[in-house]
Amino acid sequence: MAQLSILRYPDPRLHTVAAPVKEVDDRLRRLVDDMLETMYEAEGVGLAATQVDVHQRVIVMDTSEERNEPRVLINPELIAVSDEMVVGDEGCLSVPTVYDAVQRHAKVTVRALDRDGQTYEMAVEGLAAVCVQHEMDHLMGKVFVEYLSPLKRERIKSKMLKRSREEQKRR
């Protein structure tokens, strides 16, 4: 397994719409394993392939307390969403140290393929529901900061660009 580089906002590649996976093969399973390793190492609860510059519809997540329940969603699609909405602070591995309130459906049901290419459905709520919606946004080329006001978005963009320049100087 290998740790992958996570794209940072405002990298334009984060706005690429992911293509459906045509075949679940060893190459894709290796990507899934690498994504899980990357997500755990970065202490995230979810990661979309778009964030590691692979533009295919693949998500990994683990919202368990013990961090021992990895989930793989290949070609995910929301098949049901609740009318009830929740607002909670979200963060993102592509926008480190930034958290802000985003409104999401309280419960969702998603249909996807697992690591072996088998179709399954999963009904989730709470953090898992937020995570599914957040990561599916990534597959559509959307970063959570796009739910925020233009002023907040611009401040975050400036902060991320400044941090990137400082990191470049240190190298």
Side-chain angles (χ1 to χ4, degrees), residues 149-162:
S149 72
L151 177 63
K152 279 187 178 181
R153 230 182 2 258
E154 202 50 46
R155 284 184 180 155
I156 292 167
K157 185 176 182 178
S158 296
K159 179 180 176 179
M160 292 294 114
L161 290 170
K162 180 180 178 188

Side-chain angles (χ1 to χ4, degrees), residues 24-42:
V24 177
D25 55 13
D26 287 342
R27 183 201 59 77
L28 191 75
R29 282 186 279 278
R30 198 166 27 261
L31 171 65
V32 163
D33 293 343
D34 291 347
M35 287 175 62
L36 283 165
E37 180 180 337
T38 302
M39 178 192 72
Y40 286 126
E41 186 64 31

Side-chain angles (χ1 to χ4, degrees), residues 104-149:
R104 301 280 188 185
H105 295 280
K107 299 175 184 175
V108 299
T109 303
V110 62
R111 179 184 301 131
L113 301 177
D114 66 15
R115 188 178 187 283
D116 297 315
Q118 300 301 307
T119 301
Y120 73 100
E121 290 183 10
M122 173 174 77
V124 290
E125 57 187 292
L127 179 58
V130 169
C131 186
V132 165
Q133 293 168 84
H134 177 108
E135 301 308 334
M136 286 185 71
D137 277 352
H138 277 301
L139 299 181
M140 297 307 296
K142 188 171 186 173
V143 180
F144 90 98
V145 298
E146 292 172 48
Y147 288 101
L148 309 178
S149 72

